[in-house]
Amino acid sequence: MKDPVCGMTVDPAHAKHQVEHQGETYYFCAQRCKEKFLEEPSRYLNASAEQASVIEGAIYTCPMHPEVQQIGPGHCPKCGMTLEPMMPSLDDDGGHELRAMSRRFWTLAALTLPVFVLAMGPHLSGWQLPAPWHVFAAWTEALLSTVVVLWGGAPFFARGWHSLKPWSPNMYTLIALGTGVAWLYSAAAFLAPSWFPAGFHDMHGRVGVYFESAAVIVTLVTLGDFLELRARRRTGAALKALLGLAPKTARRIDADGAEHDVPLDAVHAGDQLRVRPGEKVPVDGVVLDGSSHVDESMLTGEPLPVAKRKGEQVTGGTLNQDGALLMRAEKVGAATVLSQIVTLVAQAQRSKAPLQRVADRVAAWFVPGVVSIATLAFVLWAWLGPEPKLAYALIAAVSVLIIACPCALGLATPISIMVASGRGAQNGVLFRDAAAIASLRAIDTVVVDKTGTLTEGKPALKTVVSLGKLPRAELLAMAAALERLSEHPLARAIVVGAEAEGIVVPSASQFRSVTGAGVEGEVDGHAVTLGNHRLLSNACVPLDDEVGARADALRGEGATVMFLTVDGALEGLIAVADRIKPSTPQALADLRAQGLRIVMLTGDNLATAGAVASALDLDEVHADMSPTEKADVIQRLQQQGHRVAMAGDGINDAPALAVADVGIAMGSGTDIAMESAQVTLVKGELSAIVRALSLSRATVRNIRQNLFFAFVYNAVGVPLAAGLLYPWLGVMLSPMVAALAMSLSSVSVVGNALRLRRA
């Protein structure tokens, strides 16, 4: 059933929010949807097809201010950021917004480049254009910069204006103010130089203009918005990939026994469903008949398929492999494990605030302060200044606003992040955004997944134990002969192990796979079986205590043990295990040296997890963890006051990666894990976390230094621009000097950020 407000599928049997309206019962995914419905039921019940396309999934929120919510897209009234859907949809918009933003940036760049060259070329080369060409260049600079500011900067001016209505000044307020004043002053100086005192005229009678400053600021801010939009689309892609794990249809069996495919939304709790080999399980439920192996790596992260028989639970989105299953649906829609994972990841991602927005918090005081000083300077000069008082008053006010232009403030964080991100990439560390860098420096606990993070993530032959007369090599050859005909992941590990040792693998005949037990067949005239304890029982082969103890010892080392029989006699044990990465022990030692606590979370069983923990001397271990339970452990650690980084590589790690203060994905893992995490280790080695920590600490120090430089220039420059020196020295700061000071502040910020290349 659809939530009438947001369009999400809701299972009536598990819905917590419902309303009786005009004899009908309506179910909602959350309290907020219920409240919106009660405010105006007719808006949702009588919506036209066009309205429905907007309403469905159309609750939008601000990444910075989650309390801001509205129906349909728009911009946040508090910070100006583009709102994004609270829950993703599989409907792809084709990237139209991103392409439009890209076209806008490249158009602005093409217009700004000649403006910058025309303005700065004479200063850098010392060569002046002849008089006729100088006039043409001046008009070209003025016209091109006007297009950049008025067309390219229009969204910034609109957001800056909107920020004044609820009185929440932000970066767009600063950008609109700085670029607007710079352009207005330059336009006045270009069109009416006679309005300005003689002291502001050069030898040719012209007044200095700052068109290039306004144009460059607009273009750089557009570039930042483009990069931000692209990053948000990558975040949405991760959630869409999670939604895409669920099949679009399910094969339902009606009461009369007829089978037909129905949309997933039409499946209700209690329905009987058929899951054929190679198909995904549509919803959560229980097996009624049949047996098969189901790949549950999306939940557990473990590479080994799990045998499923009558009475056992299956989860929506997992992949049925080799047998047909008849199941009963128990949880559908938002109640499924997959839907809960999607919701958890989305909520955790919305809770994070980007570090580069620190300027917005400062702007609440900075913008009113600058405007007040500029206004005060204008009033004092107009009242007490020398003639022409109005011209001096205008120059003082403009100088204050230009020297306080937010170029350095706007660059302070992005330029450091840009350099740090490049440096991190050189060291195999990819940061998603500034928030990841800021948060990583403060962590005191590292939580790691086992499979694919501490271990290699794929089973490999561990050992072959001969129990009788047959030599080890012959036992391995027989096992490989059978397993070469099997598609089980363990089979592949045995075959690869035999080939790596140069063993010639013979042919097998009369091969048969015994579901949930093992394989059997004939090799070189011998009846051979390979499987678990159930296969031994089926063949009536006894297992004495000594062999059982050896098998238990291997399991205690984290291995899966198989029994090999030849002609009805138990001849050997074959152990397959997921090996610890060679780099893991040293990486963990380095993390401990940094004072970090190491905790392991895994969906694997306690015996295997204990073996790995013992080998690596971990501080804490949690086994048999579901995706939701992993996230719960992270939250408990956070409630205890710990700052937690989570390192994982699988779909099952996505909720924990999103909930953690910093999610760290292995580059060798799934795309969903990497999209859910804030940091990706390209080579999938934990040793890169140490490098990431050092870079994070250096970058945050660098950003604070940049912000200090930016504000020191303003703290010193603004009073000078207001005319502080005039009563004593008779000197007034020219807008040209103000522009130079503004440029120097930017240069100092950029130069300081470039030091991170040596971090």
Side-chain angles (χ1 to χ4, degrees):
M1 183 172 292
K2 295 282 190 181
D3 182 322
V5 175
C6 70
M8 285 189 62
T9 300
V10 181
D11 179 11
H14 298 87
K16 297 180 180 179
H17 309 281
Q18 62 188 65
V19 167
E20 294 286 341
H21 179 71
Q22 296 181 354
E24 297 286 340
T25 302
Y26 299 94
Y27 298 92
F28 305 88
C29 67
Q31 180 66 24
R32 61 177 179 276
C33 290
K34 177 180 176 180
E35 292 172 352
K36 287 181 178 293
F37 179 86
L38 291 174
E39 290 174 0
E40 195 176 357
S42 60
R43 175 180 183 180
Y44 304 104
L45 299 182
N46 302 323
S48 65
E50 291 78 13
Q51 289 173 320
S53 65
V54 174
I55 292 174
E56 181 162 320
I59 298 181
Y60 283 69
T61 185
C62 173
M64 278 289 293
H65 302 93
E67 69 278 7
V68 175
Q69 297 178 14
Q70 69 176 48
I71 299 295
H75 293 96
C76 177
K78 293 186 176 182
C79 66
M81 286 188 68
T82 302
L83 302 181
E84 56 188 30
M86 293 187 67
M87 290 299 295
S89 169
L90 285 176
D91 298 329
D92 191 0
D93 65 359
H96 301 307
E97 185 181 5
L98 188 65
R99 288 196 294 271
M101 182 72 77
S102 177
R103 288 193 298 269
R104 172 181 286 268
F105 165 69
W106 287 111
T107 301
L108 292 176
L111 295 173
T112 301
L113 182 60
V115 172
F116 184 80
V117 171
L118 290 173
M120 303 305 297
H123 297 288
L124 298 176
S125 65
W127 181 72
Q128 298 290 334
L129 290 171
W133 287 103
H134 185 279
V135 174
F136 174 78
W139 275 101
T140 300
E141 180 183 347
L143 292 176
L144 291 180
S145 64
T146 298
V147 173
V148 171
V149 173
L150 298 186
W151 172 70
F156 309 143
F157 290 119
R159 295 180 196 179
W161 173 253
H162 291 154
S163 72
L164 301 179
K165 294 181 179 179
W167 193 244
S168 297
N170 52 53
M171 273 300 298
Y172 290 107
T173 315
L174 297 175
I175 292 165
L177 186 63
T179 55
V181 168
W183 179 82
L184 287 172
Y185 170 82
S186 299
F190 177 72
L191 296 174
S194 59
W195 291 359
F196 296 84
F200 291 90
H201 290 254
D202 59 19
M203 65 181 63
H204 304 289
R206 295 185 294 265
V207 178
V209 295
Y210 312 100
F211 287 122
E212 78 284 354
S213 296
V216 168
I217 290 172
V218 168
T219 303
L220 288 178
V221 174
T222 302
L223 173 61
D225 282 1
F226 167 70
L227 296 176
E228 180 184 66
L229 177 61
R230 189 170 65 176
R232 288 204 312 273
R233 282 183 59 84
R234 287 200 298 269
T235 300
L239 294 177
K240 286 182 179 181
L242 281 172
L243 290 172
L245 290 173
K248 304 296 185 296
T249 61
R251 191 163 187 82
R252 187 169 63 190
I253 303 176
D254 294 335
D256 58 3
E259 299 184 13
H260 52 93
D261 293 331
V262 297
L264 198 62
D265 291 345
V267 176
H268 301 285
D271 287 350
Q272 291 190 8
L273 309 173
R274 178 85 65 193
V275 187
R276 293 165 292 191
E279 292 182 339
K280 289 183 177 180
V281 177
V283 295
D284 297 358
V286 63
V287 176
L288 299 178
D289 190 27
S291 61
S292 181
H293 286 88
V294 176
D295 181 358
E296 295 187 333
S297 58
M298 63 155 281
L299 292 175
T300 65
E302 301 305 317
L304 305 182
V306 179
K308 296 292 183 181
R309 295 180 299 279
K310 181 178 179 179
E312 296 189 343
Q313 297 289 325
V314 289
T315 305
T318 56
L319 180 63
N320 183 32
Q321 293 195 332
D322 49 24
L325 296 175
L326 176 65
M327 64 170 289
R328 180 179 65 245
E330 293 188 337
K331 294 182 179 180
V332 300
T336 64
V337 171
L338 182 59
S339 294
Q340 292 172 359
I341 291 175
V342 172
T343 301
L344 189 59
V345 173
Q347 290 174 346
Q349 288 181 339
R350 286 198 304 270
S351 69
K352 300 183 186 300
L355 180 64
Q356 59 264 38
R357 303 296 172 179
V358 65
D360 284 351
R361 296 193 291 270
V362 177
W365 297 96
F366 182 71
V367 174
V370 170
V371 173
S372 299
I373 293 173
T375 303
L376 180 62
F378 183 90
V379 171
L380 290 177
W381 277 97
W383 177 33
L384 302 174
E387 294 295 340
K389 294 183 177 182
L390 189 59
Y392 277 107
L394 179 63
I395 294 303
V398 168
S399 296
V400 168
L401 292 174
I402 286 181
I403 206 168
C405 188
C407 190
L409 185 61
L411 284 173
T413 297
I415 194 66
S416 294
I417 297 303
M418 184 182 300
V419 177
S421 299
R423 182 59 175 161
Q426 292 174 345
N427 286 275
V429 180
L430 302 180
F431 294 100
R432 176 193 285 181
D433 53 25
I437 300 178
S439 300
L440 185 60
R441 56 177 283 276
I443 66 169
D444 56 39
T445 302
V446 177
V447 176
V448 293
D449 177 45
K450 178 181 74 68
T451 305
T453 304
L454 298 176
T455 65
E456 293 179 346
K458 53 186 178 182
L461 182 64
K462 178 179 178 66
T463 186
V464 178
V465 179
S466 176
L467 301 174
K469 300 177 182 179
L470 297 179
R472 175 188 180 280
E474 187 173 347
L475 293 176
L476 182 54
M478 288 182 172
L482 287 180
E483 297 289 31
R484 190 161 56 180
L485 302 176
S486 173
E487 296 181 354
H488 198 283
L490 292 182
R492 178 63 180 165
I494 292 172
V495 173
V496 170
E499 292 174 347
E501 296 184 19
I503 293 176
V504 177
V505 181
S507 299
S509 60
Q510 300 181 24
F511 173 82
R512 189 170 74 92
S513 175
V514 183
T515 302
V519 293
E520 58 185 30
E522 188 173 300
V523 181
D524 291 339
H526 298 283
V528 181
T529 67
L530 179 66
N532 57 24
H533 188 272
R534 185 184 305 160
L535 192 63
L536 287 183
S537 299
N538 293 342
C540 297
V541 177
L543 178 64
D544 61 45
D545 293 341
E546 183 180 352
V547 175
R550 297 184 71 173
D552 290 339
L554 289 171
R555 293 190 188 100
E557 296 174 4
T560 299
V561 180
M562 290 166 282
F563 302 96
L564 180 68
T565 70
V566 180
D567 295 329
L570 182 58
E571 294 288 348
L573 303 177
I574 295 182
V576 175
D578 186 8
R579 293 180 296 196
I580 294 173
K581 293 180 181 179
S583 62
T584 296
Q586 184 59 50
L588 295 181
D590 292 340
L591 291 173
R592 291 191 193 92
Q594 297 274 346
L596 299 177
R597 183 167 175 249
I598 313 298
V599 178
M600 183 176 77
L601 301 180
T602 179
D604 210 345
N605 62 75
L606 184 59
T608 302
V612 173
S614 177
L616 296 175
D617 191 24
L618 301 178
D619 296 313
E620 189 176 331
V621 177
H622 298 269
D624 295 312
M625 291 275 105
S626 69
T628 302
E629 288 171 338
K630 287 186 177 183
D632 290 342
V633 171
I634 299 288
Q635 290 177 328
R636 283 200 299 271
L637 289 170
Q638 291 170 328
Q639 291 168 1
Q640 294 168 7
H642 295 289
R643 300 283 294 176
V644 182
M646 167 69 188
D649 75 326
I651 294 172
N652 64 303
D653 298 319
L657 289 170
V659 168
D661 296 291
V662 180
I664 303 174
M666 301 292 109
S668 55
T670 64
D671 291 339
I672 294 174
M674 287 183 276
E675 293 292 352
S676 299
Q678 291 81 44
V679 181
T680 298
L681 309 183
V682 177
K683 295 182 180 180
E685 302 292 345
L686 286 176
S687 56
I689 297 181
V690 180
R691 297 193 294 272
L693 273 170
S694 299
L695 183 59
S696 169
R697 292 164 180 164
T699 303
V700 172
R701 284 197 304 270
N702 193 269
I703 291 173
R704 289 173 175 171
Q705 292 164 357
N706 286 345
L707 291 173
F708 173 78
F709 288 144
F711 285 110
V712 162
Y713 273 106
N714 280 299
V716 175
V718 168
L720 296 181
L724 182 64
L725 297 179
Y726 191 86
W728 294 276
L729 302 179
V731 176
M732 186 174 183
L733 191 67
S734 165
M736 291 183 290
V737 177
L740 178 61
M742 180 188 68
S743 300
L744 288 176
S745 68
S746 301
V747 170
S748 66
V749 164
V750 174
N752 186 57
L754 290 177
R755 295 191 304 112
L756 287 172
R757 293 185 300 179
R758 300 188 297 273

